Amino acid sequence: MDEQLVMEGAHNITQPWLGWEEVCSLSLGGTTFLIMAYSTMLAVGLVGNTCVVLVILRQKEMHNVTNIFIANLSCSDILVCLICLPSTITYTLMDRWILGVALCKLTSFVQCLSITVSIYTLVLITLERHQLIIHPTGWKPVLGHSYLAVAVTWIMGCFVSLPFFSFTLLVDFKSQNLSIPMNPSDSHLVCMEKWPSEGNRLAYTTSLLVFQYCLPLILISICYLRIFLRLSHRKDIIERTRDARQRNAKHFKRINAMLASIVALFALCWLPLYVFNAIFDWNHEAITWCHDAVFSVCHLTAMASTCVNPIIYGFLNNNFQKELKSLLYQCRCSGVPQNYESFPLSTVSTDVTKGSILSNGSDTIAVSPQQQEKECL
């Protein structure tokens, strides 16, 4: 649903809100603000997410299930930064579509693909955390499972996004209102959706709202609620431990906070655009004033999600900061070794559990250095 009328701001030639275009048209200052905001998101999102991917790929010790999913999130955001944001900046600046039919279709397709891949990658991260904390001695995903899951999310995202190739078209807005031949230079092309019927459009966009936003976030919320309750139940055990186990508990809390923050900010960024599109789909007459301006604000907020992953991941992950510094030093031909925390992201939840069932009353947990080195974040 968030993809609907992405570039043309609902310039549907048959709708009644067009009379408000002149009243609500963006001023020079408003247009400048949008271009600067989109450009800033493009730079931060592209550079930040590229750094996340490079850091994870460069350091073999960071190759664990959760980090593979985080790298997948960044790849999805990079695709948006390369395709959707430049198109949006160009359209905002030119007030018409000048990028051709192929990019018109591709922009809507990529945005739908990206949101699908991102939300279900967040679901996978949450399910992994849920499994490790709620069932610490049960089945645990390995790297092979994460690669397979990533491939499935991209295939599913492509399948869900296919309708945009068929129903996103370039329309000459001015020629639709003229009965005489017009000068080609006076054409005003817009990139918009034209569905076979209103019922088909409503069915598709409503299904996107349900399966691309509501249900995944409900599932994520339930899983994190169970995680919170389980960790609260273990609070007494953790408080009685000292030294290594206390440090692991603090690291564990920080990682959960990081992952939950990524989900929460992602949901908040996309919420305005989903609400806007839901209102437009079911009662378009409710948005008859300043449609384009409202859409621009909602779309800008949604695109801010491309910056969430690198900012949150960078601020709350010490190893990422160390590895990034090492990467920058290496670019200056003066690389320096970095010391990493011996803190396994994908196994930390089992450490407390193992310690709680030890019969010798030891305050420390025997975790092999090889295991810590293999899966440290």
Side-chain angles (χ1 to χ4, degrees):
M1 175 173 292
D2 49 274
E3 313 74 26
Q4 183 181 4
L5 304 172
V6 167
M7 289 293 101
E8 45 74 44
H11 283 130
N12 190 319
I13 60 176
T14 64
Q15 300 299 337
W17 57 75
L18 292 176
W20 295 97
E21 279 191 1
E22 293 185 4
V23 177
C24 298
S25 60
L26 288 173
S27 63
L28 178 60
T31 302
T32 303
F33 169 77
L34 284 179
I35 293 173
M36 292 182 63
Y38 277 121
S39 300
T40 301
M41 291 178 189
L42 172 60
V44 174
L46 189 58
V47 174
N49 285 293
T50 300
C51 287
V52 170
V53 174
L54 289 178
V55 165
I56 292 176
L57 291 179
R58 181 174 179 265
Q59 191 64 35
K60 291 184 179 180
E61 286 78 7
M62 299 183 74
H63 290 187
N64 58 56
V65 174
T66 304
N67 280 342
I68 294 302
F69 290 151
I70 290 176
N72 190 48
L73 275 178
S74 291
C75 290
S76 174
D77 290 337
I78 289 172
L79 192 60
V80 172
C81 292
L82 292 176
I83 303 295
C84 299
L85 287 180
S87 302
T88 303
I89 295 171
T90 303
Y91 183 80
T92 303
L93 182 63
M94 303 299 297
D95 195 32
R96 67 184 66 196
W97 189 265
I98 62 171
L99 302 176
V101 177
L103 199 54
C104 171
K105 292 177 176 290
L106 186 61
T107 299
S108 298
F109 174 85
V110 166
Q111 187 165 311
C112 183
L113 171 63
S114 174
I115 183 66
T116 304
V117 170
S118 296
I119 192 64
Y120 282 101
T121 300
L122 292 174
V123 170
L124 291 173
I125 292 175
T126 304
L127 291 178
E128 186 220 9
R129 305 306 301 163
H130 182 272
Q131 175 67 16
L132 292 175
I133 295 171
I134 303 300
H135 307 289
T137 59
W139 176 83
K140 299 176 182 63
V142 297
L143 277 180
H145 298 141
S146 66
Y147 293 131
L148 178 61
V150 166
V152 170
T153 59
W154 283 93
I155 294 172
M156 181 176 64
C158 289
F159 178 77
V160 170
S161 308
L162 281 178
F164 288 104
F165 274 120
S166 300
F167 303 126
T168 304
L169 305 172
L170 269 182
V171 177
D172 191 336
F173 178 71
K174 288 188 177 180
S175 66
Q176 298 288 334
N177 297 285
L178 296 177
S179 58
I180 59 175
M182 61 181 294
N183 188 337
S185 62
D186 294 333
S187 63
H188 190 94
L189 297 176
V190 294
C191 182
M192 62 184 299
E193 297 173 28
K194 297 190 72 173
W195 290 80
S197 68
E198 182 70 6
N200 290 338
R201 183 181 67 84
L202 281 176
Y204 179 70
T205 56
T206 302
S207 66
L208 287 182
L209 172 64
V210 173
F211 294 103
Q212 204 181 57
Y213 190 80
C214 295
L215 289 183
L217 288 179
I218 291 173
L219 176 60
I220 289 172
S221 300
I222 293 173
C223 288
Y224 273 112
L225 177 60
R226 295 194 66 192
I227 289 173
F228 173 78
L229 294 176
R230 176 57 62 91
L231 294 180
S232 298
H233 182 68
R234 293 181 185 173
K235 185 177 181 180
D236 292 338
I237 299 177
I238 295 176
E239 287 179 348
R240 289 195 298 267
T241 63
R242 288 179 282 176
D243 300 330
R245 288 174 63 183
Q246 285 183 333
R247 288 195 299 270
N248 278 351
K250 291 180 180 179
H251 291 315
F252 183 40
K253 183 178 180 180
R254 187 183 64 192
I255 293 302
N256 280 332
M258 177 189 74
L259 298 176
S261 297
I262 291 175
V263 173
L265 289 177
F266 183 90
L268 289 176
C269 286
W270 282 99
L271 180 61
L273 189 57
Y274 272 103
V275 171
F276 175 90
N277 281 330
I279 295 174
F280 171 75
D281 286 337
W282 290 97
N283 185 18
H284 59 261
E285 294 182 356
I287 312 177
T288 58
W289 186 74
C290 290
H291 179 279
D292 290 357
V294 176
F295 173 83
S296 296
V297 173
C298 294
H299 187 261
L300 182 65
T301 305
M303 292 298 99
S305 65
T306 59
C307 305
V308 167
N309 192 24
I311 292 176
I312 297 296
Y313 194 68
F315 275 124
L316 297 181
N317 190 319
N318 290 336
N319 286 338
F320 173 80
Q321 296 169 12
K322 293 176 183 178
E323 181 62 23
L324 182 58
K325 290 178 182 178
S326 176
L327 185 63
L328 294 177
Y329 280 128
Q330 197 172 61
C331 292
R332 297 177 183 177
C333 301
S334 59
V336 294
Q338 297 291 336
N339 294 323
Y340 289 88
E341 299 173 352
S342 296
F343 170 56
L345 173 65
S346 296
T347 59
V348 64
S349 60
T350 63
D351 291 342
V352 174
T353 303
K354 290 175 182 177
S356 65
I357 60 177
L358 289 176
S359 59
N360 58 7
S362 174
D363 287 336
T364 59
I365 302 171
V367 180
S368 67
Q370 293 81 6
Q371 182 184 15
Q372 291 182 333
E373 194 69 20
K374 179 180 179 182
E375 293 190 321
C376 70
L377 178 62

